[in-house]
Amino acid sequence: MTVTTNSFDRILAGNAIFARRLTLREPELLAKTAKGQAPEVLWLGCADSRIPETTICDCKPGDIFVHRNIANILTPDDINSASVIEYAVGFVKVNRVMVCGHTKCGGANAAMGDDDLGDILNTWLEPMRALRRQHKSELDKLLTADAKANRLAELNVFRSLEVLKQNPIVQKAMAERGLTLHGLLYDIPAGELLVLEDGKTHVTATTETQHRLNR
Amino acid sequence: MAEQQQQPKHKRTISRYLQQSHERIFENNRKWVESKTRSDPEFFAKLSAGQSPEYLYIGCADSRVPANEIMGLDAGEVFVHRNIANMVPNTDLNVMSVINYAVRHLHVKHIVVCGHYTCGGVKAAMTPADLGILNPWLRGIRDVYRLHEAELDAIPDEKAKYDRLIELNVVESCRNIIKTAAVQQSYQDNQYPIVHGWVFDLKDGLLKDLKIDFEAMLEGIKKIYNLASSPDRRASTTD
């Protein structure tokens, strides 16, 4: 591959490689995706560049329907994420919805304080700041800024799952065809995807990861 | 009776299948970590130090258009927002906060809007049907049609017309991004970010650059949408 100094040309070169690889090695995948999509999973995650869902799950084009925003915040009145959920659950008929928060989250860090980030970001992050106030006593017990932000990221996932459970189209799909909801936490330093269960903290994390998250 | 007995077995099969697909994701994730660490032992240490992506990508939620894969970029290289039909409504707090954060805090150099042919969202938007909560979101696409009605109506072939609407929807999203104070002010001060419009073709996996003239578009909207200077220029407070 020719090394290009221009960061824009680099992308188009990257795409040419992607297309060639797909054409040569997986022509059937290309033909399949050209016909339509039938993803198993809806992923609701953070816009953070370090968490490309398809890459970190080693998945392929066509596997995961995706919405990503700042700090994976879900509120019932957000028409952007609501229309993604409606389309993915109601029309595409995914079988699983995964809400994925992550450690080292800039949004969670910002929500731990009340710095003025401008009108737009202040307003967007307010549900997460409210969550911090609501869980003040629990968060106060944690020793480091990292541990506090990581726990807030987890609480934010649980809150998002609650928002999903109250969504009529989600309720209907859960009752009628067994749609399931899952909370995840992606640990950036380890590259590891952890399952979150019922308000508990990083249950499947390795001892090493748990040690780091709690530090 | 026979049917009733089969039902639980059928359900068990589905649930086993789903469980496998769920486990596959975690297995794949472990494999990915192993392979990354093998080729670069410092890969995750570097990522945990922070992110400084050069690109913001705004694309469709469609599963067949994974941002990093189609651009050949690794973890850490592109900040991503994906929604139904890669829309950028100027009153949508969700996408506006993504643009604001990417421009003012991450200082991205490029913003890419990437649509794709055979977009289900665009198709749904042009369907004369009540789609519930999707109505307000998809109405933006009908507005794009109205803005370019003469051009679109002059295209006799339905497929060609649909393709063109997908392209025009990308162009409108680019224009909406350029309308923001964050982009106008950053460009005035730093000469970045530049906004690009692309369409991904599912047939061959290639990106088509619509070659939007960023400078001309910025000049063009300034008569009405100029937000480059505000009375107090409160840094990072407006959009």
Side-chain angles (χ1 to χ4, degrees):
Chain A
M1 184 188 155
T2 329
V3 178
T4 53
T5 45
N6 185 311
S7 52
F8 187 68
D9 291 345
R10 200 187 134 214
I11 282 196
L12 294 178
N15 169 244
I17 293 169
F18 163 83
R20 203 176 322 128
R21 198 166 42 214
L22 212 55
T23 318
L24 294 176
R25 293 197 202 149
E26 300 183 88
E28 62 296 327
L29 179 67
L30 200 60
K32 195 178 122 197
T33 55
K35 270 188 224 138
Q37 64 172 334
E40 196 82 46
V41 172
L42 164 61
W43 176 280
L44 301 167
C46 185
D48 193 303
S49 64
R50 296 166 295 178
I51 312 150
E53 71 304 316
T54 307
T55 311
I56 65 161
C57 300
D58 212 6
C59 282
K60 298 209 155 136
D63 286 343
I64 310 178
F65 201 82
V66 179
H67 173 68
R68 289 168 61 184
N69 65 38
I70 299 290
N72 46 275
I73 291 174
L74 280 191
T75 52
D77 57 358
D78 170 35
I79 209 105
N80 187 329
S81 57
S83 52
V84 172
I85 294 161
E86 178 83 13
Y87 194 87
V89 175
F91 292 91
V92 178
K93 301 207 184 301
V94 296
N95 294 314
R96 294 173 184 278
V97 182
M98 295 183 171
V99 179
C100 185
H102 68 102
T103 61
K104 307 263 175 192
C105 180
N109 267 320
M112 282 308 302
D114 286 311
D115 284 354
D116 182 2
L117 302 171
D119 304 330
I120 293 272
L121 286 167
N122 287 343
T123 313
W124 180 252
L125 286 176
E126 175 49 29
M128 213 164 174
R129 285 177 166 157
L131 199 61
R132 179 204 74 207
R133 295 192 292 271
Q134 193 189 327
H135 293 269
K136 187 176 184 300
S137 61
E138 183 194 344
L139 293 166
D140 279 351
K141 284 186 203 120
L142 295 166
L143 298 178
T144 65
D146 256 9
K148 289 174 206 279
N150 291 345
R151 182 59 184 154
L152 184 59
E154 285 185 350
L155 292 167
N156 183 46
V157 170
F158 296 129
R159 200 191 54 85
S160 295
L161 290 173
E162 283 310 309
V163 170
L164 283 169
K165 280 179 202 157
Q166 301 310 319
N167 182 315
I169 192 88
V170 171
Q171 288 175 343
K172 191 162 172 277
M174 286 173 84
E176 288 178 3
R177 56 183 187 85
L179 173 83
T180 53
L181 309 180
H182 308 266
L184 305 174
L185 188 75
Y186 178 72
D187 184 29
I188 285 185
E192 202 181 343
L193 206 48
L194 315 169
V195 181
L196 301 178
E197 275 170 21
D198 299 335
K200 278 183 273 177
T201 180
H202 37 80
V203 284
T204 64
T206 59
T207 322
E208 192 194 334
T209 308
Q210 285 207 18
H211 180 70
R212 191 180 53 251
L213 293 176
N214 288 323
R215 203 166 51 209
Chain B
M1 185 65 192
E3 226 178 79
Q4 273 175 350
Q5 278 171 344
Q6 274 170 4
Q7 185 70 5
K9 191 183 165 200
H10 176 61
K11 273 195 173 158
R12 269 203 307 277
T13 315
I14 289 182
S15 117
R16 200 161 49 233
Y17 166 68
L18 288 181
Q19 192 52 39
Q20 281 165 358
S21 76
H22 188 54
E23 281 160 7
R24 186 168 66 93
I25 285 195
F26 290 88
E27 250 174 59
N28 288 353
N29 169 240
R30 279 190 288 273
K31 271 189 244 156
W32 176 72
V33 171
E34 275 168 31
S35 90
K36 276 291 161 196
T37 315
R38 219 177 303 126
S39 56
D40 178 5
E42 297 301 301
F43 184 76
F44 292 104
K46 278 185 257 174
L47 283 185
S48 64
Q51 63 171 334
S52 51
E54 291 214 346
Y55 315 93
L56 162 61
Y57 171 100
I58 296 177
C60 186
D62 193 300
S63 64
R64 299 165 296 174
V65 197
N68 286 70
E69 276 68 17
I70 65 164
M71 292 190 281
L73 294 179
D74 216 336
E77 296 194 287
V78 53
F79 201 70
V80 176
H81 174 70
R82 289 170 62 184
N83 64 39
I84 299 295
N86 42 271
M87 304 288 290
V88 182
N90 280 113
T91 52
D92 180 63
L93 196 59
N94 188 330
V95 65
M96 285 300 132
S97 64
V98 170
I99 295 170
N100 192 294
Y101 190 78
V103 173
R104 295 203 195 269
H105 296 265
L106 298 174
H107 301 281
V108 295
K109 306 297 182 290
H110 303 273
I111 301 179
V112 170
V113 176
C114 185
H116 66 102
Y117 296 118
T118 68
C119 178
V122 174
K123 188 116 201 154
M126 296 317 295
T127 308
D130 178 356
L131 298 174
I133 190 89
L134 282 164
N135 289 340
W137 188 257
L138 295 177
R139 195 170 291 122
I141 299 170
R142 294 182 199 256
D143 292 342
V144 173
Y145 194 108
R146 183 167 51 78
L147 282 168
H148 302 274
E149 198 172 354
E151 181 191 340
L152 289 164
D153 282 351
I155 304 173
D157 180 59
E158 281 304 313
K159 169 78 170 68
K161 188 186 289 194
Y162 174 35
D163 285 354
R164 185 60 186 147
L165 179 58
I166 284 163
E167 294 175 359
L168 290 170
N169 185 46
V170 168
V171 176
E172 277 318 310
S173 287
C174 292
R175 190 171 279 123
N176 287 345
I177 291 170
I178 297 172
K179 287 177 194 166
T180 64
V183 169
Q184 289 181 26
Q185 290 172 8
S186 171
Y187 189 73
Q188 184 168 280
D189 296 346
N190 315 306
Q191 285 74 58
Y192 63 75
I194 310 285
V195 179
H196 310 270
W198 297 348
V199 183
F200 181 70
D201 195 333
L202 292 160
K203 284 203 307 294
D204 53 19
L206 288 169
L207 286 167
K208 174 178 169 185
D209 186 359
L210 295 177
K211 298 201 190 311
I212 278 159
D213 187 339
F214 172 71
E215 289 273 356
M217 197 179 261
L218 180 62
E219 280 313 304
I221 58 129
K222 270 192 170 169
K223 182 189 158 201
I224 300 171
Y225 300 99
N226 192 349
L227 304 177
S229 58
S230 64
D232 52 356
R233 275 301 293 273
R234 294 182 304 161
S236 79
T237 55
T238 52
D239 206 279

